[in-house]
Amino acid sequence: MSENTAAPRRDFIREMVADDVATGRFGRGPATRFPPEPNGFLHMGHAKSICLNFGIAQEFGGTCNLRFDDTNPATEDVKYVEAIQRDVQWLGFNWDGLYYASDYFEKLYDIAEALVLKGKAYVDDQNEEQIRTNRGTVTSAGTPSPWRERSADENLDLLRRMKAGEFPDGAKVLRAKIDMAHPNMVMRDPLLLRIRHAHHYRRGNDWCIYPLYDFAHGLSDAIEGITRSLCTLEFKDAREIYDWLVAEAGFVNPPTQIEFARLELDYTVLSKRKLLRLVNDGHVNGWDDPRMPTIAGLRRRGVRPEAIRAFAEVIGVARKDARVEIATFEHAVRNDLNMEVPRVLCVLNPLKVVLTNYPEGQVEMLDAPSYPHDVPKTGSRPMPFSRELYVDRDDFMEDAPKKFYRLSVGREVRLRFGYLITCNEVVKNDAGEVIELRCTYDPDTRSGQAPDGRKVQGTIHWVSAAQAVSCEVRLYDRLFSQPDPDDVPEGQDFLSALNPASLVVIPDAKIEPSVASDPIGSRYQFERTGYFMSEPESSTPEKLVFNRIVGLRDSWAKEVKKG
RNA sequence: UGCCCCUUAGCUCAACUGGCAGAGCGUCUGACUCUGGAUCAGAAGGUUCCUGGUUCGACCCCAGGAGGGGCAACCA
């Protein structure tokens, strides 16, 4: 148990942190932070960041804070703060410190005054429009504000009056005084504080000058003693202002920003703006709809945190934008559940089977192992078997092709854990639909036996009609019907790529009775169908409701496609 | 007056300071034979975008080129 334990995956960030530890570069232990803005629910992209930040802290004996980047009163809410904390914990992580950027407003203000005194910041009276046009473009220099050369005393007075609430929204703004011709747009006198007479969910109305991201973020990191500030690639250009600010503020051994690629996933969207739209426009039933790529949605769907962590591990972290296939995630989910959950038989689309040679009224109990041979778990449950059963409609075909190894007139299949049966006759209703199969069973073939050694090609799942439990099954599928939901014709948006069949409800499926005594929230593999969980929000002991977490890997569908 | 990042297997991505280019998915083959559409095992699969250069040795460093992306919110 020493040499062959897989080395923890190394990426360029972990290499740097390992180097920090080795060289003592920061003079303190490795410290990271996960800094969400509480303006929405956490999603898979955040999960990647959480696993990275908290993972590094664990692996290197460092710390990781949870910090709410709550600097915009217009969009934030305490309900998101609560949801985020629950989601981080559910993923399996505990923060060392719990902080709020809004608690740093005073400290940030003091730094702002210090910058003004040093001549490194000034109050600008230009309006939003003027500021934008005077910033210049990517290929041309900006124009200095007419207020850029105000004296330190005047700036200090104005800043204090901004804080005191003397000016309306938008009247004035505090800017760093750097270089209006800087090749990096971010460095063209970036805005530090803006006036917002608004209610902040934590600060109430006691504060009216709110720091912008660039001003708040790096300094918050520095205040907390973070060593490596991990963020996504689009902040690359912001690194320069990050370094400028922590240096000007006088922090020794300040934190350093490292950027990594944000997660993009096939067949879904990972942007809070778009997810909010799905929620607000009613395309899904809330942030925790099981189709949502949110942590809350995945949890409700039935995905385990272990699977999400394993997924984060396999996708790794790199410096290049990466679109990950949803199949990779689904694989991680199956891989996790395969070794954990018991197997159970559930017939989604019931078709009655009558065993004409089985005694009427007789019920025998078959012993059904709950795990396949290659899962190192033991256990079994009794399965009632009787004359009338249900099998899945998909397992019967009237005009079956040769390679259809299931039921058809004259063909023999094995009933999982039970007998071999042969279909003799099809019963149809007036509309010509098949409503019943009349079959015979071979009494000598119980539970896998076949005295004459004959083999059948197919094994199908079934339930005993009288003892089966009716349940609702919700088949969740991909939210969007194309890999890139934004790749739509001119004039349309991602909503037009929504998958109309992302939720198919089966109101009356038949499941084996053994599950009736299991707690709500139990997970199973429905053999030959997929992984399911009894839905904690909707399921009751009287009316079980199951969510499909993920289907089984389906090579048959591909075979069919190929023809 | 533009700055910055990226280009590696069919697909999606790894590869620490230059040292035999690796995973997952997909594909193919085999095993289990009561999930044969599950699961497990093995295999095939590469001109590392192009052209030059440095070096004993280049995915990695240098020069030039081609293609893709980020940055011009008082959002984060």
Side-chain angles (χ1 to χ4, degrees), chain A residues 312-339:
Chain A
E313 175 88 11
V314 305
I315 61 174
V317 18
R319 265 172 286 223
K320 189 183 67 168
D321 284 318
R323 176 169 285 269
V324 177
E325 292 172 306
I326 194 84
T328 303
F329 177 63
E330 292 170 344
H331 179 259
V333 174
R334 286 189 202 104
N335 212 36
D336 171 55
L337 263 13
N338 178 38
M339 298 309 252

PDB file of all heavy atoms in Angstrom, chain A residues 312-339:
ATOM      1  N   ALA A 312     -13.969  16.273 -11.417  1.00  0.00           N
ATOM      2  CA  ALA A 312     -13.025  17.400 -11.341  1.00  0.00           C
ATOM      3  C   ALA A 312     -11.594  16.883 -11.458  1.00  0.00           C
ATOM      4  O   ALA A 312     -10.737  17.500 -12.087  1.00  0.00           O
ATOM      5  CB  ALA A 312     -13.216  18.161 -10.028  1.00  0.00           C
ATOM      6  N   GLU A 313     -11.366  15.720 -10.882  1.00  0.00           N
ATOM      7  CA  GLU A 313     -10.045  15.124 -10.932  1.00  0.00           C
ATOM      8  C   GLU A 313      -9.640  14.752 -12.364  1.00  0.00           C
ATOM      9  O   GLU A 313      -8.538  15.045 -12.801  1.00  0.00           O
ATOM     10  CB  GLU A 313     -10.033  13.870 -10.042  1.00  0.00           C
ATOM     11  CG  GLU A 313      -8.759  13.071 -10.072  1.00  0.00           C
ATOM     12  CD  GLU A 313      -7.733  13.556  -9.056  1.00  0.00           C
ATOM     13  OE1 GLU A 313      -8.096  14.388  -8.195  1.00  0.00           O
ATOM     14  OE2 GLU A 313      -6.594  13.108  -9.130  1.00  0.00           O
ATOM     15  N   VAL A 314     -10.558  14.130 -13.096  1.00  0.00           N
ATOM     16  CA  VAL A 314     -10.173  13.678 -14.436  1.00  0.00           C
ATOM     17  C   VAL A 314     -10.058  14.822 -15.438  1.00  0.00           C
ATOM     18  O   VAL A 314      -9.222  14.758 -16.341  1.00  0.00           O
ATOM     19  CB  VAL A 314     -11.111  12.584 -15.017  1.00  0.00           C
ATOM     20  CG1 VAL A 314     -11.228  11.411 -14.083  1.00  0.00           C
ATOM     21  CG2 VAL A 314     -12.469  13.142 -15.363  1.00  0.00           C
ATOM     22  N   ILE A 315     -10.857  15.850 -15.302  1.00  0.00           N
ATOM     23  CA  ILE A 315     -10.735  16.934 -16.289  1.00  0.00           C
ATOM     24  C   ILE A 315      -9.493  17.776 -16.028  1.00  0.00           C
ATOM     25  O   ILE A 315      -8.978  18.418 -16.923  1.00  0.00           O
ATOM     26  CB  ILE A 315     -11.982  17.841 -16.334  1.00  0.00           C
ATOM     27  CG1 ILE A 315     -12.212  18.518 -14.980  1.00  0.00           C
ATOM     28  CG2 ILE A 315     -13.201  17.058 -16.783  1.00  0.00           C
ATOM     29  CD1 ILE A 315     -13.332  19.528 -15.007  1.00  0.00           C
ATOM     30  N   GLY A 316      -9.003  17.744 -14.793  1.00  0.00           N
ATOM     31  CA  GLY A 316      -7.771  18.443 -14.497  1.00  0.00           C
ATOM     32  C   GLY A 316      -7.906  19.949 -14.626  1.00  0.00           C
ATOM     33  O   GLY A 316      -9.014  20.480 -14.733  1.00  0.00           O
ATOM     34  N   VAL A 317      -6.788  20.624 -14.603  1.00  0.00           N
ATOM     35  CA  VAL A 317      -6.821  22.067 -14.739  1.00  0.00           C
ATOM     36  C   VAL A 317      -5.670  22.482 -15.636  1.00  0.00           C
ATOM     37  O   VAL A 317      -4.551  22.012 -15.508  1.00  0.00           O
ATOM     38  CB  VAL A 317      -6.796  22.784 -13.362  1.00  0.00           C
ATOM     39  CG1 VAL A 317      -6.315  21.872 -12.281  1.00  0.00           C
ATOM     40  CG2 VAL A 317      -5.993  24.056 -13.394  1.00  0.00           C
ATOM     41  N   ALA A 318      -5.998  23.335 -16.579  1.00  0.00           N
ATOM     42  CA  ALA A 318      -5.011  23.730 -17.574  1.00  0.00           C
ATOM     43  C   ALA A 318      -5.200  25.187 -17.961  1.00  0.00           C
ATOM     44  O   ALA A 318      -6.103  25.859 -17.480  1.00  0.00           O
ATOM     45  CB  ALA A 318      -5.133  22.832 -18.802  1.00  0.00           C
ATOM     46  N   ARG A 319      -4.333  25.632 -18.830  1.00  0.00           N
ATOM     47  CA  ARG A 319      -4.360  27.044 -19.217  1.00  0.00           C
ATOM     48  C   ARG A 319      -5.103  27.275 -20.524  1.00  0.00           C
ATOM     49  O   ARG A 319      -5.055  28.349 -21.080  1.00  0.00           O
ATOM     50  CB  ARG A 319      -2.928  27.548 -19.376  1.00  0.00           C
ATOM     51  CG  ARG A 319      -2.403  28.225 -18.138  1.00  0.00           C
ATOM     52  CD  ARG A 319      -0.931  28.512 -18.285  1.00  0.00           C
ATOM     53  NE  ARG A 319      -0.176  27.292 -18.168  1.00  0.00           N
ATOM     54  CZ  ARG A 319       0.955  27.184 -17.476  1.00  0.00           C
ATOM     55  NH1 ARG A 319       1.451  28.232 -16.870  1.00  0.00           N
ATOM     56  NH2 ARG A 319       1.596  26.037 -17.412  1.00  0.00           N
ATOM     57  N   LYS A 320      -5.715  26.241 -21.018  1.00  0.00           N
ATOM     58  CA  LYS A 320      -6.389  26.380 -22.309  1.00  0.00           C
ATOM     59  C   LYS A 320      -7.887  26.151 -22.133  1.00  0.00           C
ATOM     60  O   LYS A 320      -8.305  25.207 -21.468  1.00  0.00           O
ATOM     61  CB  LYS A 320      -5.838  25.343 -23.284  1.00  0.00           C
ATOM     62  CG  LYS A 320      -6.311  25.548 -24.696  1.00  0.00           C
ATOM     63  CD  LYS A 320      -5.809  24.456 -25.613  1.00  0.00           C
ATOM     64  CE  LYS A 320      -6.439  23.108 -25.259  1.00  0.00           C
ATOM     65  NZ  LYS A 320      -6.214  22.093 -26.284  1.00  0.00           N
ATOM     66  N   ASP A 321      -8.701  26.993 -22.740  1.00  0.00           N
ATOM     67  CA  ASP A 321     -10.143  26.811 -22.680  1.00  0.00           C
ATOM     68  C   ASP A 321     -10.484  25.416 -23.144  1.00  0.00           C
ATOM     69  O   ASP A 321      -9.989  24.959 -24.166  1.00  0.00           O
ATOM     70  CB  ASP A 321     -10.855  27.840 -23.558  1.00  0.00           C
ATOM     71  CG  ASP A 321     -10.862  29.210 -22.890  1.00  0.00           C
ATOM     72  OD1 ASP A 321     -11.105  29.249 -21.672  1.00  0.00           O
ATOM     73  OD2 ASP A 321     -10.597  30.208 -23.567  1.00  0.00           O
ATOM     74  N   ALA A 322     -11.317  24.746 -22.380  1.00  0.00           N
ATOM     75  CA  ALA A 322     -11.587  23.350 -22.661  1.00  0.00           C
ATOM     76  C   ALA A 322     -13.082  23.072 -22.611  1.00  0.00           C
ATOM     77  O   ALA A 322     -13.746  23.357 -21.624  1.00  0.00           O
ATOM     78  CB  ALA A 322     -10.871  22.467 -21.647  1.00  0.00           C
ATOM     79  N   ARG A 323     -13.587  22.555 -23.684  1.00  0.00           N
ATOM     80  CA  ARG A 323     -14.978  22.114 -23.694  1.00  0.00           C
ATOM     81  C   ARG A 323     -14.976  20.626 -23.412  1.00  0.00           C
ATOM     82  O   ARG A 323     -14.438  19.835 -24.181  1.00  0.00           O
ATOM     83  CB  ARG A 323     -15.622  22.411 -25.042  1.00  0.00           C
ATOM     84  CG  ARG A 323     -17.039  21.911 -25.173  1.00  0.00           C
ATOM     85  CD  ARG A 323     -17.695  22.475 -26.424  1.00  0.00           C
ATOM     86  NE  ARG A 323     -18.056  23.876 -26.224  1.00  0.00           N
ATOM     87  CZ  ARG A 323     -19.240  24.268 -25.759  1.00  0.00           C
ATOM     88  NH1 ARG A 323     -20.150  23.369 -25.444  1.00  0.00           N
ATOM     89  NH2 ARG A 323     -19.496  25.542 -25.591  1.00  0.00           N
ATOM     90  N   VAL A 324     -15.554  20.251 -22.295  1.00  0.00           N
ATOM     91  CA  VAL A 324     -15.547  18.856 -21.878  1.00  0.00           C
ATOM     92  C   VAL A 324     -16.842  18.196 -22.320  1.00  0.00           C
ATOM     93  O   VAL A 324     -17.912  18.801 -22.259  1.00  0.00           O
ATOM     94  CB  VAL A 324     -15.387  18.763 -20.351  1.00  0.00           C
ATOM     95  CG1 VAL A 324     -15.449  17.320 -19.889  1.00  0.00           C
ATOM     96  CG2 VAL A 324     -14.072  19.399 -19.924  1.00  0.00           C
ATOM     97  N   GLU A 325     -16.723  16.972 -22.791  1.00  0.00           N
ATOM     98  CA  GLU A 325     -17.911  16.249 -23.222  1.00  0.00           C
ATOM     99  C   GLU A 325     -18.725  15.818 -22.009  1.00  0.00           C
ATOM    100  O   GLU A 325     -18.188  15.315 -21.025  1.00  0.00           O
ATOM    101  CB  GLU A 325     -17.514  15.011 -24.024  1.00  0.00           C
ATOM    102  CG  GLU A 325     -16.885  15.366 -25.356  1.00  0.00           C
ATOM    103  CD  GLU A 325     -16.315  14.149 -26.045  1.00  0.00           C
ATOM    104  OE1 GLU A 325     -15.506  13.450 -25.398  1.00  0.00           O
ATOM    105  OE2 GLU A 325     -16.662  13.898 -27.200  1.00  0.00           O
ATOM    106  N   ILE A 326     -20.039  15.981 -22.122  1.00  0.00           N
ATOM    107  CA  ILE A 326     -20.920  15.587 -21.023  1.00  0.00           C
ATOM    108  C   ILE A 326     -20.779  14.084 -20.777  1.00  0.00           C
ATOM    109  O   ILE A 326     -20.978  13.599 -19.663  1.00  0.00           O
ATOM    110  CB  ILE A 326     -22.387  15.977 -21.337  1.00  0.00           C
ATOM    111  CG1 ILE A 326     -23.271  15.891 -20.085  1.00  0.00           C
ATOM    112  CG2 ILE A 326     -22.986  15.109 -22.418  1.00  0.00           C
ATOM    113  CD1 ILE A 326     -23.226  17.105 -19.216  1.00  0.00           C
ATOM    114  N   ALA A 327     -20.395  13.341 -21.817  1.00  0.00           N
ATOM    115  CA  ALA A 327     -20.189  11.897 -21.675  1.00  0.00           C
ATOM    116  C   ALA A 327     -19.119  11.606 -20.624  1.00  0.00           C
ATOM    117  O   ALA A 327     -19.183  10.603 -19.922  1.00  0.00           O
ATOM    118  CB  ALA A 327     -19.798  11.278 -23.010  1.00  0.00           C
ATOM    119  N   THR A 328     -18.153  12.490 -20.513  1.00  0.00           N
ATOM    120  CA  THR A 328     -17.107  12.308 -19.513  1.00  0.00           C
ATOM    121  C   THR A 328     -17.686  12.424 -18.105  1.00  0.00           C
ATOM    122  O   THR A 328     -17.340  11.665 -17.200  1.00  0.00           O
ATOM    123  CB  THR A 328     -15.995  13.360 -19.714  1.00  0.00           C
ATOM    124  OG1 THR A 328     -15.500  13.252 -21.041  1.00  0.00           O
ATOM    125  CG2 THR A 328     -14.860  13.160 -18.724  1.00  0.00           C
ATOM    126  N   PHE A 329     -18.593  13.363 -17.952  1.00  0.00           N
ATOM    127  CA  PHE A 329     -19.251  13.515 -16.657  1.00  0.00           C
ATOM    128  C   PHE A 329     -20.158  12.323 -16.365  1.00  0.00           C
ATOM    129  O   PHE A 329     -20.143  11.759 -15.274  1.00  0.00           O
ATOM    130  CB  PHE A 329     -20.065  14.811 -16.623  1.00  0.00           C
ATOM    131  CG  PHE A 329     -20.830  14.994 -15.342  1.00  0.00           C
ATOM    132  CD1 PHE A 329     -20.163  15.125 -14.133  1.00  0.00           C
ATOM    133  CD2 PHE A 329     -22.218  15.001 -15.344  1.00  0.00           C
ATOM    134  CE1 PHE A 329     -20.873  15.263 -12.946  1.00  0.00           C
ATOM    135  CE2 PHE A 329     -22.922  15.146 -14.160  1.00  0.00           C
ATOM    136  CZ  PHE A 329     -22.253  15.281 -12.963  1.00  0.00           C
ATOM    137  N   GLU A 330     -20.928  11.932 -17.366  1.00  0.00           N
ATOM    138  CA  GLU A 330     -21.839  10.800 -17.167  1.00  0.00           C
ATOM    139  C   GLU A 330     -21.057   9.537 -16.823  1.00  0.00           C
ATOM    140  O   GLU A 330     -21.499   8.732 -16.000  1.00  0.00           O
ATOM    141  CB  GLU A 330     -22.681  10.596 -18.433  1.00  0.00           C
ATOM    142  CG  GLU A 330     -23.653  11.738 -18.638  1.00  0.00           C
ATOM    143  CD  GLU A 330     -24.347  11.721 -19.996  1.00  0.00           C
ATOM    144  OE1 GLU A 330     -23.871  11.018 -20.910  1.00  0.00           O
ATOM    145  OE2 GLU A 330     -25.338  12.422 -20.135  1.00  0.00           O
ATOM    146  N   HIS A 331     -19.907   9.400 -17.433  1.00  0.00           N
ATOM    147  CA  HIS A 331     -19.053   8.267 -17.130  1.00  0.00           C
ATOM    148  C   HIS A 331     -18.623   8.289 -15.657  1.00  0.00           C
ATOM    149  O   HIS A 331     -18.633   7.271 -14.971  1.00  0.00           O
ATOM    150  CB  HIS A 331     -17.830   8.280 -18.048  1.00  0.00           C
ATOM    151  CG  HIS A 331     -16.870   7.170 -17.794  1.00  0.00           C
ATOM    152  ND1 HIS A 331     -15.705   7.345 -17.083  1.00  0.00           N
ATOM    153  CD2 HIS A 331     -16.921   5.865 -18.120  1.00  0.00           C
ATOM    154  CE1 HIS A 331     -15.081   6.177 -16.998  1.00  0.00           C
ATOM    155  NE2 HIS A 331     -15.782   5.280 -17.621  1.00  0.00           N
ATOM    156  N   ALA A 332     -18.281   9.472 -15.172  1.00  0.00           N
ATOM    157  CA  ALA A 332     -17.872   9.605 -13.770  1.00  0.00           C
ATOM    158  C   ALA A 332     -19.029   9.257 -12.832  1.00  0.00           C
ATOM    159  O   ALA A 332     -18.836   8.638 -11.784  1.00  0.00           O
ATOM    160  CB  ALA A 332     -17.373  11.024 -13.497  1.00  0.00           C
ATOM    161  N   VAL A 333     -20.228   9.626 -13.238  1.00  0.00           N
ATOM    162  CA  VAL A 333     -21.404   9.344 -12.405  1.00  0.00           C
ATOM    163  C   VAL A 333     -21.671   7.840 -12.352  1.00  0.00           C
ATOM    164  O   VAL A 333     -21.888   7.267 -11.279  1.00  0.00           O
ATOM    165  CB  VAL A 333     -22.641  10.100 -12.944  1.00  0.00           C
ATOM    166  CG1 VAL A 333     -23.893   9.704 -12.168  1.00  0.00           C
ATOM    167  CG2 VAL A 333     -22.420  11.603 -12.863  1.00  0.00           C
ATOM    168  N   ARG A 334     -21.612   7.195 -13.499  1.00  0.00           N
ATOM    169  CA  ARG A 334     -21.832   5.741 -13.542  1.00  0.00           C
ATOM    170  C   ARG A 334     -20.755   4.996 -12.763  1.00  0.00           C
ATOM    171  O   ARG A 334     -21.024   4.058 -12.024  1.00  0.00           O
ATOM    172  CB  ARG A 334     -21.776   5.246 -14.986  1.00  0.00           C
ATOM    173  CG  ARG A 334     -22.961   5.578 -15.791  1.00  0.00           C
ATOM    174  CD  ARG A 334     -22.878   4.850 -17.137  1.00  0.00           C
ATOM    175  NE  ARG A 334     -23.706   5.549 -18.098  1.00  0.00           N
ATOM    176  CZ  ARG A 334     -23.230   6.335 -19.050  1.00  0.00           C
ATOM    177  NH1 ARG A 334     -21.936   6.482 -19.213  1.00  0.00           N
ATOM    178  NH2 ARG A 334     -24.053   6.956 -19.862  1.00  0.00           N
ATOM    179  N   ASN A 335     -19.550   5.452 -12.980  1.00  0.00           N
ATOM    180  CA  ASN A 335     -18.415   4.807 -12.344  1.00  0.00           C
ATOM    181  C   ASN A 335     -18.549   4.827 -10.824  1.00  0.00           C
ATOM    182  O   ASN A 335     -18.210   3.872 -10.137  1.00  0.00           O
ATOM    183  CB  ASN A 335     -17.154   5.558 -12.767  1.00  0.00           C
ATOM    184  CG  ASN A 335     -15.970   4.659 -12.853  1.00  0.00           C
ATOM    185  OD1 ASN A 335     -16.102   3.507 -13.243  1.00  0.00           O
ATOM    186  ND2 ASN A 335     -14.815   5.172 -12.463  1.00  0.00           N
ATOM    187  N   ASP A 336     -19.054   5.924 -10.315  1.00  0.00           N
ATOM    188  CA  ASP A 336     -19.254   6.079  -8.878  1.00  0.00           C
ATOM    189  C   ASP A 336     -20.388   5.183  -8.391  1.00  0.00           C
ATOM    190  O   ASP A 336     -20.240   4.431  -7.424  1.00  0.00           O
ATOM    191  CB  ASP A 336     -19.567   7.551  -8.580  1.00  0.00           C
ATOM    192  CG  ASP A 336     -20.003   7.773  -7.137  1.00  0.00           C
ATOM    193  OD1 ASP A 336     -19.243   7.365  -6.232  1.00  0.00           O
ATOM    194  OD2 ASP A 336     -21.089   8.325  -6.927  1.00  0.00           O
ATOM    195  N   LEU A 337     -21.498   5.224  -9.096  1.00  0.00           N
ATOM    196  CA  LEU A 337     -22.690   4.488  -8.663  1.00  0.00           C
ATOM    197  C   LEU A 337     -22.543   2.980  -8.854  1.00  0.00           C
ATOM    198  O   LEU A 337     -23.052   2.187  -8.058  1.00  0.00           O
ATOM    199  CB  LEU A 337     -23.902   4.992  -9.458  1.00  0.00           C
ATOM    200  CG  LEU A 337     -24.840   6.055  -8.872  1.00  0.00           C
ATOM    201  CD1 LEU A 337     -24.303   6.752  -7.649  1.00  0.00           C
ATOM    202  CD2 LEU A 337     -25.308   7.030  -9.921  1.00  0.00           C
ATOM    203  N   ASN A 338     -21.832   2.586  -9.884  1.00  0.00           N
ATOM    204  CA  ASN A 338     -21.688   1.170 -10.210  1.00  0.00           C
ATOM    205  C   ASN A 338     -21.221   0.362  -9.014  1.00  0.00           C
ATOM    206  O   ASN A 338     -21.724  -0.728  -8.755  1.00  0.00           O
ATOM    207  CB  ASN A 338     -20.702   1.030 -11.373  1.00  0.00           C
ATOM    208  CG  ASN A 338     -20.444  -0.422 -11.741  1.00  0.00           C
ATOM    209  OD1 ASN A 338     -21.353  -1.245 -11.709  1.00  0.00           O
ATOM    210  ND2 ASN A 338     -19.205  -0.735 -12.072  1.00  0.00           N
ATOM    211  N   MET A 339     -20.258   0.889  -8.287  1.00  0.00           N
ATOM    212  CA  MET A 339     -19.692   0.148  -7.170  1.00  0.00           C
ATOM    213  C   MET A 339     -20.484   0.328  -5.878  1.00  0.00           C
ATOM    214  O   MET A 339     -20.172  -0.302  -4.880  1.00  0.00           O
ATOM    215  CB  MET A 339     -18.242   0.599  -6.934  1.00  0.00           C
ATOM    216  CG  MET A 339     -17.342   0.328  -8.121  1.00  0.00           C
ATOM    217  SD  MET A 339     -17.464  -1.371  -8.713  1.00  0.00           S
ATOM    218  CE  MET A 339     -15.893  -2.007  -8.161  1.00  0.00           C
TER     219      MET A 339
END
